Amino acid sequence: MIPRRAFAAALLCASFCMPAFAAEDAAAPTVQWVMPWKAGTTLVYAMEDTTTEVRGDQRSRSRSTSTTEVRITEASKEGFVQSWTGTGGRFQVLEGDRAAEALMQQFASAFDGVALEVQLNAAGNYARAGNIAELAPRLREAFLAGAQLGLDQQLAKTGEDVSGEARLKAMERMQGIVDRMTAPAVLEAMLTRNVQWYNGFVGIDVEPDETYELHTELPNPFGGPTFPATLTFSLAVSSEDPEDLFVSFDQRIDPEKGRAAVIGATRALLGEDVPENSLQALAFSMVDEGLFVVHRPTGTVEMFEAVRTTKFGDFEKVERHRLRLTSGGHGHVWRDEQEAEAAAAK
């Protein structure tokens, strides 16, 4: 029997290479998202991540928040170095088992003020991660602590001796999985997914209110077959304020053609063979959806949301990432939060 969490980790680590979106022979008139970056540019966002997991009749939901600073630390004709630094991180379990809440808060505190650096190309789009090697040892230690806690809880539920041979063998297996999860390519896929989206569409020059479609192959961070996917995106100018651009995207992995990549990634993560027929009947899907609100004159992202929905078997996971610029007086708010506040005020 394949551990469902291992299969989920392999699937959720799928990365992608954002292509150049400047449309050839686009019908005039077009609208361009101008590049916002120059040396010293600093943007401060309120960040919120929420994760909801449902398996059968079991449901869990968690939320993490922080203040996130995005800063250009280097600029040259080759491109830019962009740093992402979170401070004041807080983790909460909103529904479900709260056993890991303290550990996750400890994890957030340990990385408070630690920057993730990425390289942007000359056009301002994501190129690669910059300091993964520096972060890897600390992340490995944190992942191991989480794995040990999860294992002890699982063994305690089954009544097995948590200090005995069963635990030692299980921990040895988990250490191997953690080692593979903290390989550079896998860490880059996990840590920069939303950073890649954030930097993926800068520079598009397309006809507004039109939908563009791209068939692409997403790299597999574990090696092996790629993930065939279809990406659609569109740009619109606000009817209320012509200085506001709205850019939306939708990316879907082909559930049939991507099966080989999923099986290969699961095998690579577990470090052992996986019977192909054990996954063939397991229906899965992965969909990424997102929205940008962009200040048209400067190209600055004022609000950004990315939602990934992953399903396999009876398991569903929804990960929502949000950024809202805290400066500039743009006045944009999340509609669901505004509605909740209005309802609470009644």
Side-chain angles (χ1 to χ4, degrees):
M1 184 68 177
I2 300 168
R4 288 178 177 266
R5 289 191 178 276
F7 176 65
L11 184 58
L12 292 172
C13 282
S15 183
F16 57 91
C17 287
M18 296 299 296
F21 289 122
E24 297 180 3
D25 302 323
T30 63
V31 175
Q32 183 180 25
W33 179 342
V34 300
M35 184 172 66
W37 306 123
K38 60 182 179 180
T41 299
T42 302
L43 303 173
V44 180
Y45 293 96
M47 187 281 293
E48 180 190 68
D49 283 333
T50 59
T51 300
T52 303
E53 295 185 1
V54 178
R55 178 180 286 112
D57 60 355
Q58 296 183 337
R59 174 184 168 94
S60 64
R61 189 162 66 97
S62 63
R63 176 174 62 201
S64 60
T65 57
S66 72
T67 297
T68 298
E69 180 186 271
V70 180
R71 185 167 180 264
I72 299 298
T73 59
E74 297 180 29
S76 69
K77 63 180 181 180
E78 286 79 26
F80 308 87
V81 175
Q82 183 186 71
S83 71
W84 291 70
T85 307
T87 56
R90 184 184 180 195
F91 179 85
Q92 298 171 282
V93 173
L94 304 177
E95 295 181 50
D97 189 355
R98 302 186 61 176
E101 186 176 62
L103 179 65
M104 291 300 296
Q105 181 60 55
Q106 183 180 343
F107 176 83
S109 300
F111 286 89
D112 193 85
V114 177
L116 169 67
E117 293 183 351
V118 300
Q119 302 283 334
L120 308 182
N121 61 23
N125 300 130
Y126 180 89
R128 61 186 178 279
N131 63 336
I132 291 294
E134 299 172 21
L135 299 178
R138 297 178 64 174
L139 287 165
R140 183 181 183 278
E141 182 179 348
F143 289 169
L144 279 175
Q148 180 174 327
L149 175 63
L151 176 62
D152 286 346
Q153 290 174 344
Q154 182 179 354
L155 291 175
K157 289 179 181 179
T158 63
E160 296 185 56
D161 182 0
V162 296
S163 62
E165 185 177 351
R167 181 182 184 280
L168 293 176
K169 288 183 177 180
M171 273 305 300
E172 183 178 343
R173 185 170 183 266
M174 288 303 303
Q175 285 174 351
I177 292 175
V178 169
D179 286 343
R180 289 182 284 276
M181 286 184 65
T182 52
V186 180
L187 275 182
E188 179 171 8
M190 288 193 296
L191 297 180
T192 70
R193 184 177 83 214
N194 291 312
V195 174
Q196 290 189 47
W197 282 126
Y198 178 92
N199 292 291
F201 294 88
V202 173
I204 57 171
D205 189 0
V206 296
E207 187 175 351
D209 304 314
E210 294 292 334
T211 299
Y212 293 82
E213 183 175 285
L214 176 71
H215 298 286
T216 186
E217 301 283 332
L218 311 181
N220 185 334
F222 293 98
T226 57
F227 292 85
T230 300
L231 173 68
T232 58
F233 66 96
S234 63
L235 175 151
V237 179
S238 170
S239 59
E240 299 178 356
D241 186 347
E243 290 193 347
D244 284 342
L245 292 182
F246 301 107
V247 176
S248 60
F249 65 86
D250 181 298
Q251 179 175 270
R252 297 170 183 264
I253 289 180
D254 187 303
E256 295 302 323
K257 294 180 180 179
R259 190 175 300 279
V262 173
I263 294 173
T266 304
R267 288 171 172 164
L269 177 63
L270 293 176
E272 58 192 50
D273 189 34
V274 175
E276 190 164 331
N277 60 7
S278 64
L279 291 180
Q280 285 292 354
L282 184 62
F284 80 93
S285 66
M286 179 187 287
V287 178
D288 288 292
E289 302 170 278
L291 173 69
F292 298 86
V293 180
V294 182
H295 184 234
R296 185 176 179 182
T298 63
T300 300
V301 175
E302 295 179 332
M303 296 181 64
F304 168 57
E305 178 178 76
V307 179
R308 169 168 287 187
T309 302
T310 306
K311 299 178 182 180
F312 56 97
D314 65 346
F315 177 78
E316 178 181 85
K317 184 173 186 177
V318 180
E319 302 165 276
R320 187 184 72 185
H321 175 75
R322 281 180 167 178
L323 296 173
R324 181 181 182 276
L325 192 67
T326 59
S327 59
H330 54 81
H332 297 297
V333 296
W334 298 114
R335 181 175 298 176
D336 59 329
E337 293 182 353
Q338 186 179 39
E339 291 173 349
E341 289 179 1
K346 291 182 180 180

